[in-house]
């Protein structure tokens, strides 16, 4: 009798262990929907509601996709991951806060693709890179961050980092792109993008960092380029730069 009870208890514990492990498993691909629920497993048929809800259920180097248009909330990223908004408007409304904070290790890679990041006039920063690693922002819009520092993209990494911004609109912020070297050398590549109508500058490079421009338009900003403390701006010669501030180096197209 005692042996039977022990066997039943053991079987119950094992079953509970495997059920718990399954419920805590992270998927390589997860989904969010405007009518989702963060209590869901973030599967295609049971999507989550927010990026923050989905990221904890997404494996390292996995991908979060959207099913339909929606507002999916601000998020902090601490691992390699892709957030891809190809199913409609992938909105982040970040009034009074940061839209996306990226704080990852030097070996991590983060992709933000097809996002509509709105600060509503009081947002702090659209995308803030404070870790290391590599960040790609593409096919996105970052607008109206004018609270606090109010940068569209703020790169103040703890060590050397690389950020690529491709086919993106940065509009109506206090500052467009702010790059400040805290340690190491931060490199931001801005290509096929428009930085327009930001109150103070389109791009600022402070310290041992570089902004590389390729096929990009900087217009309607109080200052186009602010370069201090040894910063560098390299233009490939196919950019439109209107306003105060010139690149430190212009490289002819080959």
């Amino acid at each position: 009798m005692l042996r039977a009870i022990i066997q039943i208890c053991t079987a119950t514990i094992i079953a509970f262990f495997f059920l718990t492990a399954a419920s805590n498993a992270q998927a390589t691909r997860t989904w969010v929907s405007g009518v989702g629920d963060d209590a869901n497993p973030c599967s295609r048929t049971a999507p989550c509601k927010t990026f923050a809800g989905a990221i904890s259920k997404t494996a390292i180097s996995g991908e979060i996709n959207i099913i339909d248009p929606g507002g999916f909330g601000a998020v902090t990223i601490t691992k390699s991951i892709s957030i891809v908004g190809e199913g409609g408007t992938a909105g982040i409304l970040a009034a009074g806060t940061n839209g996306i904070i990226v704080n990852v290790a030097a070996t991590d890679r983060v992709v933000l693709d097809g996002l509509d990041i709105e600060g509503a006039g009081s947002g702090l920063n659209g995308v803030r890179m404070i870790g290391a690693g590599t960040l790609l922002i593409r096919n996105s819009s970052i607008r109206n961050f004018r609270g606090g520092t109010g940068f569209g993209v703020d790169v103040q990494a703890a060590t050397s980092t690389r950020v690529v911004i491709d086919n993106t609109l940065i509009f109506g912020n206090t500052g467009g792109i702010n790059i400040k070297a805290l340690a190491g050398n931060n490199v931001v590549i801005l290509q096929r993008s428009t930085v327009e109508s930001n109150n103070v500058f389109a791009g600022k490079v402070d310290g041992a960092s570089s902004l590389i421009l390729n096929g990009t338009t900087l217009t309607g900003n109080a200052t186009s380029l602010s370069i201090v403390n040894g910063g560098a701006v390299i233009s490939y010669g196919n950019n439109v730069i209107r306003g105060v501030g010139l690149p430190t180096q212009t490289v002819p197209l080959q």
Side-chain angles (χ1 to χ4, degrees):
M1 183 67 177
L2 179 60
R3 179 178 294 179
I5 293 173
I6 292 173
Q7 289 175 340
I8 292 171
C9 290
T10 302
T12 301
I13 292 170
I14 291 172
F16 177 78
F17 171 80
F18 281 109
L19 285 172
T20 301
S23 66
N24 290 333
Q26 293 180 318
T28 302
R29 185 184 299 275
T30 56
W31 301 85
V32 294
S33 166
V35 293
D37 189 326
D38 284 347
N40 288 339
C42 303
S43 64
R44 180 65 178 79
T45 55
C48 286
K49 175 72 172 176
T50 68
F51 290 140
I55 200 167
S56 63
K57 300 173 185 178
T58 308
I60 293 173
S61 299
E63 182 172 307
I64 300 172
N65 295 105
I66 71 164
I67 296 174
D68 48 31
F72 302 110
V75 64
T76 296
I77 298 172
T78 58
K79 61 187 176 184
S80 290
I81 202 164
S82 297
I83 300 178
V84 180
E86 294 182 348
T89 301
I92 294 176
L93 179 60
T97 189
N98 293 288
I100 298 176
I101 295 176
V102 181
N103 187 6
V104 296
T107 55
D108 288 331
R109 306 289 183 266
V110 174
V111 176
L112 306 175
D113 189 355
L115 304 184
D116 182 28
I117 307 173
E118 170 64 53
S122 63
L124 303 183
N125 301 284
V127 178
R128 190 158 194 252
M129 179 69 160
I130 59 174
T134 301
L135 169 64
L136 169 60
I137 304 169
R138 66 186 179 195
N139 307 324
S140 296
S141 174
I142 305 171
R143 309 185 308 274
N144 298 320
F145 285 85
R146 297 190 294 276
T149 52
F151 301 133
V153 178
D154 183 28
V155 181
Q156 298 196 50
T159 185
S160 296
T161 190
R162 296 182 70 85
V163 178
V164 178
I165 304 171
D166 180 38
N167 191 33
T168 291
L169 171 66
I170 301 173
F171 175 86
N173 309 286
T174 298
I177 301 169
N178 180 65
I179 311 163
K180 184 172 183 179
L182 302 181
N185 180 28
N186 301 320
V187 177
V188 176
I189 300 170
L190 181 64
Q191 60 187 29
R192 301 188 306 147
S193 297
T194 299
V195 187
E196 163 75 31
S197 297
N198 297 281
N199 292 348
V200 180
F201 55 77
K204 181 177 181 179
V205 186
D206 184 352
S209 293
S210 302
L211 173 62
I212 300 172
L213 304 175
N214 182 19
T216 285
T217 298
L218 312 179
T219 63
N221 308 282
T223 297
S224 282
L225 297 171
S226 175
I227 307 166
V228 297
N229 299 322
V233 175
I234 302 167
S235 169
Y236 275 90
N238 58 349
N239 303 289
V240 176
I241 302 174
R242 303 189 66 180
V244 176
L246 296 173
T248 56
Q249 182 181 359
T250 299
V251 180
L253 292 173
Q254 300 298 316

